Amino acid sequence: MIVSHFLKWIDTARVSERAAAASALARAYINSDLPFEDRCAAEAALTLLLDDVSAKVRQALAEALSMSHHAPPQVIAALASDQPEVSALVLARSPLLTDADLIDRVACGQKATQKLIANRPVVSMPLAAAIAEIGEPEACSTLVANSGADIASLSFRRMAERHGHLPLVREALIADARLPADCRHMLLVKLGETLKGSPLVLALMGATRADRVMRDACVKASVTLIEGTRANEHAALIEHLRLRGDLTASFIIRTIAHGKVDFFGSTLVALAQQSEQRVRALLAGGHDVALQALFRSAGLAAATHGIILRALKVWREVANGKRVAGVQEVSWLMLKELGGQSAEGDLAGLVKSIHLDALRENARGHALAIAAA
């Protein structure tokens, strides 16, 4: 009876009155224990209100129904396809929209629609994968910032591949602790490529020097990246570096000079195709002959074996509490293994650069400590 009067009344009511009545009816439908016949009548009235010429009435419906599990599904579906100010509330909040519904709207939606869906309280892994694969940069950055989003490693990788050159997405990805280490390295390389192509950098350095400087910077940053990489991610990062051609002898020497023994071990496991248990045992206490055989099977040149062994022995002593040493001392001992400061060649040049970087870093840290005292 009440619904019957309502349907007759809306034909002559003003927009503000219809909007208020639509909101009241919707809230009564989802919050009240209505008799079956009244409930059916109310649902019919709510469905009829979808045809109201005023967006304000439909918006009132959306506000009342958008968070309910008990809203009429046909009403929610229609509101989700309405004009932006109406659909936004439903797309952002309605628990009745399935992943399939939302993925369809991501595929054909505008930037604003994608952002709304990416910022829903809960975003499932399949939905996150769809946004990562076809979403605009704004939607991807919103997705990464959403703590309620369940994002697979592959989806992180796709966002890094598609939009990692853009600061908006790159900064959001780097700030996320869930980001896999190989993705961090990918973003590091993309940043280097962006800087290398900067008109200012090219004007100051020239293309050749800019390329060399950025490549060296990426290698150094990659070594630092290892510090924040969990052991269970080492294999993925190593494979990523290998496929890119970045897993070079010079990079491996840098890792051992900086004391990244666990990562060095993971690298040997991957390159030598030997068990992790055997490699760990050799690094912890293996004799030189056995270690050199391991290095050979990993493809490391014989010229590098002596300095790697020297560094490894020092880091063993540090780990066992028999010695206090850092990169500066270890790199100096590696250089002595090659003949000291007078040593020449690419390998000596590499170790010298590692040693000089360590000297600068330690001096900088000392100066800052003095200034802060």
Side-chain angles (χ1 to χ4, degrees):
M1 183 67 71
I2 294 174
V3 173
S4 174
H5 286 301
F6 172 80
L7 294 175
K8 294 175 182 176
W9 169 78
I10 59 173
D11 289 334
T12 57
R14 294 193 298 270
V15 170
S16 59
E17 294 172 336
R18 298 202 308 273
S23 177
L25 180 61
R27 295 182 192 283
Y29 179 87
I30 60 176
N31 295 325
S32 303
D33 188 14
L34 298 174
F36 178 74
E37 289 186 4
D38 289 346
R39 189 168 188 79
C40 290
E43 183 171 325
L46 291 172
T47 305
L48 183 63
L49 285 171
L50 294 171
D51 298 327
D52 197 293
V53 294
S54 173
K56 291 183 178 179
V57 175
R58 304 194 302 278
Q59 189 172 3
L61 280 180
E63 288 176 351
L65 298 174
S66 61
M67 299 182 69
S68 174
H69 288 270
H70 307 295
Q74 76 277 12
V75 175
I76 291 297
L79 292 172
S81 301
D82 210 312
Q83 60 195 66
E85 61 265 32
V86 177
S87 64
L89 294 165
V90 176
L91 290 173
R93 303 190 295 200
S94 177
L96 296 183
L97 294 176
T98 65
D99 279 352
D101 295 329
L102 295 167
I103 289 171
D104 285 344
R105 285 171 171 80
V106 167
C108 63
Q110 300 175 341
K111 291 181 183 179
T113 299
Q114 291 183 348
K115 281 187 66 176
L116 285 168
I117 294 172
N119 202 36
R120 282 171 63 89
V122 176
V123 178
S124 70
M125 192 174 288
L127 178 55
I131 296 170
E133 191 64 41
I134 59 178
E136 296 290 333
E138 294 82 0
C140 289
S141 65
T142 299
L143 177 70
V144 175
N146 183 358
S147 60
D150 188 7
I151 308 175
S153 295
L154 180 61
S155 297
F156 276 117
R157 201 163 288 114
R158 286 298 292 140
M159 287 187 281
E161 290 170 350
R162 294 181 62 233
H163 302 306
H165 61 289
L166 300 173
L168 176 70
V169 179
R170 185 173 62 238
E171 290 170 9
L173 287 170
I174 290 174
D176 197 312
R178 300 169 294 177
L179 185 69
D182 58 315
C183 294
R184 290 187 184 277
H185 183 265
M186 184 191 304
L187 294 173
L188 179 66
V189 172
K190 284 182 179 289
L191 177 59
E193 291 171 349
T194 301
L195 292 174
K196 183 178 68 177
S198 164
L200 177 61
V201 172
L202 289 174
L204 290 173
M205 298 184 177
T208 303
R209 185 168 174 237
D211 182 67
R212 186 178 67 254
V213 169
M214 292 305 168
R215 188 169 58 250
D216 290 345
C218 284
V219 169
K220 293 173 185 176
S222 298
V223 174
T224 304
L225 174 64
I226 296 169
E227 294 178 4
T229 303
R230 295 183 293 270
N232 60 357
E233 292 186 9
H234 282 173
L237 178 56
I238 289 164
E239 183 63 15
H240 172 75
L241 292 168
R242 189 184 66 79
L243 291 173
R244 281 191 47 84
D246 292 336
L247 196 64
T248 60
S250 62
F251 178 76
I252 293 172
I253 289 169
R254 280 187 181 276
T255 63
I256 191 64
H258 282 80
K260 316 300 183 188
V261 179
D262 288 342
F263 185 83
F264 177 65
S266 297
T267 304
L268 294 177
V269 169
L271 296 178
Q273 297 293 299
Q274 297 197 25
S275 71
E276 183 176 351
Q277 184 177 4
R278 171 172 168 72
V279 170
R280 300 296 178 198
L282 287 173
L283 291 179
H287 295 297
D288 288 0
V289 174
L291 284 167
Q292 287 175 319
L294 175 63
F295 299 160
R296 281 195 298 273
S297 65
L300 294 173
T304 67
H305 294 183
I307 60 173
I308 293 175
L309 287 172
R310 191 74 185 92
L312 184 58
K313 288 174 182 177
V314 176
W315 292 123
R316 277 180 184 171
E317 292 176 359
V318 171
N320 293 328
K322 297 179 180 179
R323 185 173 192 160
V324 176
V327 180
Q328 180 177 321
E329 182 177 359
V330 171
S331 57
W332 171 247
L333 293 172
M334 292 169 73
L335 187 57
K336 284 184 67 176
E337 192 72 25
L338 295 171
Q341 290 286 3
S342 60
E344 297 181 353
D346 292 342
L347 187 58
L350 170 64
V351 178
K352 283 178 184 177
S353 70
I354 296 171
H355 183 61
L356 290 175
D357 287 341
L359 284 172
R360 282 194 293 269
E361 189 62 31
N362 286 345
R364 187 181 298 114
H366 189 198
L368 291 173
I370 292 172

Coordinates of all heavy atoms in Angstrom, one line a residue, residues 298-333:
A298 N 81.4 -22.4 -12.4 CA 80.5 -21.3 -12.5 C 80.9 -20.4 -13.7 O 80.2 -19.4 -14.0 CB 80.5 -20.5 -11.2
G299 N 82.0 -20.6 -14.4 CA 82.4 -19.8 -15.5 C 83.3 -18.6 -15.1 O 83.5 -17.8 -16.0
L300 N 83.8 -18.6 -13.9 CA 84.6 -17.4 -13.5 C 86.0 -17.7 -14.0 O 86.6 -18.7 -13.8 CB 84.6 -17.3 -12.0 CG 83.3 -16.9 -11.4 CD1 83.3 -16.9 -9.8 CD2 82.8 -15.5 -11.8
A301 N 86.6 -16.6 -14.6 CA 88.0 -16.8 -15.2 C 89.0 -17.0 -14.1 O 88.8 -16.5 -12.9 CB 88.3 -15.5 -15.9
A302 N 90.0 -17.7 -14.4 CA 91.1 -18.1 -13.4 C 91.7 -16.9 -12.8 O 92.1 -16.9 -11.6 CB 92.1 -19.0 -14.1
A303 N 91.8 -15.8 -13.5 CA 92.4 -14.6 -13.0 C 91.7 -14.0 -11.8 O 92.2 -13.2 -11.0 CB 92.5 -13.5 -14.1
T304 N 90.4 -14.3 -11.7 CA 89.6 -13.7 -10.7 C 89.6 -14.6 -9.4 O 89.2 -14.1 -8.3 CB 88.1 -13.6 -11.1 OG1 87.5 -14.9 -11.3 CG2 88.0 -12.8 -12.4
H305 N 90.1 -15.8 -9.5 CA 90.0 -16.7 -8.3 C 90.7 -16.2 -7.1 O 90.2 -16.3 -6.0 CB 90.5 -18.1 -8.7 CG 89.7 -18.8 -9.8 ND1 89.9 -20.1 -10.3 CD2 88.6 -18.3 -10.5 CE1 89.0 -20.4 -11.2 NE2 88.2 -19.3 -11.3
G306 N 92.0 -15.7 -7.3 CA 92.8 -15.3 -6.2 C 92.1 -14.2 -5.4 O 92.1 -14.3 -4.1
I307 N 91.6 -13.2 -6.0 CA 91.0 -12.0 -5.3 C 89.7 -12.5 -4.6 O 89.4 -12.0 -3.5 CB 90.8 -10.8 -6.2 CG1 89.9 -11.1 -7.3 CG2 92.2 -10.3 -6.7 CD1 89.5 -9.8 -8.1
I308 N 89.0 -13.4 -5.3 CA 87.7 -13.8 -4.6 C 88.0 -14.6 -3.4 O 87.4 -14.5 -2.3 CB 86.9 -14.6 -5.6 CG1 86.4 -13.8 -6.8 CG2 85.7 -15.3 -5.0 CD1 85.7 -14.5 -7.9
L309 N 89.0 -15.5 -3.5 CA 89.4 -16.3 -2.3 C 89.9 -15.4 -1.2 O 89.6 -15.6 0.0 CB 90.5 -17.3 -2.7 CG 90.1 -18.5 -3.5 CD1 91.3 -19.3 -4.0 CD2 89.2 -19.4 -2.8
R310 N 90.7 -14.4 -1.5 CA 91.2 -13.4 -0.5 C 90.0 -12.8 0.2 O 90.0 -12.7 1.4 CB 92.1 -12.4 -1.2 CG 92.9 -11.6 -0.1 CD 94.0 -12.4 0.5 NE 94.7 -11.8 1.5 CZ 94.4 -11.8 2.8 NH1 93.4 -12.6 3.2 NH2 95.1 -11.2 3.7
A311 N 89.1 -12.3 -0.6 CA 87.9 -11.6 0.1 C 87.1 -12.6 0.9 O 86.7 -12.2 2.0 CB 87.0 -11.0 -1.0
L312 N 86.9 -13.8 0.4 CA 86.1 -14.8 1.1 C 86.7 -15.1 2.4 O 85.9 -15.3 3.4 CB 85.9 -16.0 0.2 CG 85.0 -17.1 0.7 CD1 83.6 -16.6 1.0 CD2 85.0 -18.3 -0.3
K313 N 88.0 -15.3 2.5 CA 88.6 -15.6 3.7 C 88.5 -14.5 4.8 O 88.3 -14.8 6.0 CB 90.1 -15.9 3.5 CG 90.4 -17.2 2.7 CD 91.8 -17.4 2.4 CE 92.1 -18.7 1.6 NZ 93.5 -18.8 1.1
V314 N 88.6 -13.3 4.3 CA 88.4 -12.1 5.3 C 86.9 -12.1 5.8 O 86.7 -12.0 7.0 CB 88.7 -10.8 4.6 CG1 88.4 -9.6 5.6 CG2 90.2 -10.7 4.2
W315 N 86.0 -12.3 4.9 CA 84.6 -12.3 5.4 C 84.2 -13.5 6.3 O 83.4 -13.4 7.1 CB 83.6 -12.2 4.2 CG 83.7 -10.9 3.4 CD1 84.0 -10.8 2.1 CD2 83.5 -9.6 3.9 NE1 83.9 -9.4 1.7 CE2 83.6 -8.7 2.9 CE3 83.2 -9.1 5.2 CZ2 83.5 -7.3 3.0 CZ3 83.0 -7.7 5.3 CH2 83.2 -6.9 4.3
R316 N 84.9 -14.6 6.1 CA 84.8 -15.8 7.0 C 85.2 -15.4 8.4 O 84.5 -15.6 9.4 CB 85.6 -16.9 6.5 CG 85.0 -17.8 5.4 CD 86.1 -18.9 5.1 NE 85.7 -19.8 4.0 CZ 86.5 -20.7 3.5 NH1 87.7 -20.8 3.9 NH2 86.1 -21.4 2.5
E317 N 86.4 -14.7 8.5 CA 86.9 -14.3 9.8 C 86.0 -13.3 10.4 O 85.8 -13.3 11.7 CB 88.3 -13.7 9.6 CG 89.3 -14.8 9.2 CD 90.7 -14.1 8.9 OE1 90.8 -12.9 9.1 OE2 91.6 -14.9 8.6
V318 N 85.4 -12.4 9.6 CA 84.5 -11.4 10.2 C 83.2 -12.1 10.7 O 82.7 -11.8 11.8 CB 84.1 -10.4 9.1 CG1 82.9 -9.5 9.6 CG2 85.3 -9.5 8.7
A319 N 82.7 -13.1 9.9 CA 81.5 -13.8 10.4 C 81.8 -14.6 11.6 O 80.9 -14.8 12.5 CB 81.1 -14.7 9.2
N320 N 83.0 -15.1 11.8 CA 83.3 -15.9 13.0 C 83.8 -15.1 14.2 O 84.2 -15.6 15.2 CB 84.4 -16.9 12.6 CG 83.9 -18.0 11.6 OD1 82.8 -18.4 11.6 ND2 84.8 -18.5 10.7
G321 N 83.8 -13.8 14.0 CA 84.1 -12.9 15.1 C 85.6 -12.8 15.4 O 86.1 -12.3 16.4
K322 N 86.4 -13.2 14.4 CA 87.9 -13.2 14.6 C 88.5 -11.9 14.0 O 89.7 -11.7 14.2 CB 88.5 -14.4 13.9 CG 88.1 -15.7 14.4 CD 88.7 -16.9 13.7 CE 88.3 -18.2 14.2 NZ 88.9 -19.4 13.5
R323 N 87.7 -11.1 13.4 CA 88.2 -9.9 12.7 C 87.2 -8.9 12.5 O 86.0 -9.2 12.4 CB 88.8 -10.3 11.4 CG 89.5 -9.3 10.6 CD 90.2 -9.9 9.4 NE 91.1 -9.0 8.7 CZ 92.1 -9.3 7.9 NH1 92.2 -10.6 7.6 NH2 92.9 -8.5 7.4
V324 N 87.6 -7.6 12.5 CA 86.7 -6.5 12.2 C 87.2 -5.9 10.9 O 88.3 -5.5 10.9 CB 86.6 -5.5 13.3 CG1 85.8 -4.3 12.9 CG2 86.1 -6.1 14.6
A325 N 86.4 -5.9 9.9 CA 86.8 -5.4 8.6 C 85.6 -4.9 7.8 O 84.5 -5.4 8.1 CB 87.6 -6.4 7.8
G326 N 85.8 -4.1 6.8 CA 84.8 -3.6 6.0 C 85.2 -3.6 4.5 O 86.3 -4.2 4.2
V327 N 84.4 -3.0 3.7 CA 84.7 -3.0 2.2 C 86.1 -2.4 1.9 O 86.9 -2.9 1.1 CB 83.6 -2.3 1.4 CG1 83.9 -2.3 -0.1 CG2 82.3 -2.9 1.7
Q328 N 86.4 -1.3 2.6 CA 87.7 -0.6 2.4 C 88.9 -1.6 2.6 O 89.8 -1.7 1.7 CB 87.8 0.6 3.3 CG 89.1 1.4 3.1 CD 89.2 2.6 4.0 OE1 88.1 3.3 4.2 NE2 90.3 2.9 4.6
E329 N 88.9 -2.3 3.7 CA 90.0 -3.2 4.0 C 90.0 -4.4 3.0 O 91.1 -4.8 2.5 CB 90.0 -3.7 5.4 CG 91.1 -4.6 5.8 CD 91.1 -5.0 7.3 OE1 90.2 -4.6 8.0 OE2 92.0 -5.8 7.7
V330 N 88.8 -5.0 2.8 CA 88.8 -6.1 1.9 C 89.2 -5.8 0.5 O 90.0 -6.5 -0.1 CB 87.3 -6.7 1.9 CG1 87.2 -7.8 0.9 CG2 87.0 -7.3 3.3
S331 N 88.8 -4.7 0.0 CA 89.2 -4.3 -1.4 C 90.6 -4.0 -1.5 O 91.3 -4.3 -2.5 CB 88.3 -3.1 -1.9 OG 88.5 -2.0 -1.0
W332 N 91.2 -3.5 -0.4 CA 92.7 -3.2 -0.4 C 93.4 -4.5 -0.4 O 94.4 -4.7 -1.1 CB 93.0 -2.4 0.9 CG 94.5 -2.3 1.1 CD1 95.3 -2.8 2.1 CD2 95.5 -1.6 0.3 NE1 96.6 -2.5 2.0 CE2 96.7 -1.8 0.8 CE3 95.3 -0.9 -0.9 CZ2 97.9 -1.2 0.3 CZ3 96.5 -0.3 -1.5 CH2 97.8 -0.5 -0.9
L333 N 93.0 -5.5 0.4 CA 93.6 -6.8 0.3 C 93.5 -7.5 -1.0 O 94.4 -8.2 -1.5 CB 93.1 -7.7 1.5 CG 93.4 -7.2 2.9 CD1 92.6 -8.1 3.9 CD2 94.9 -7.3 3.2

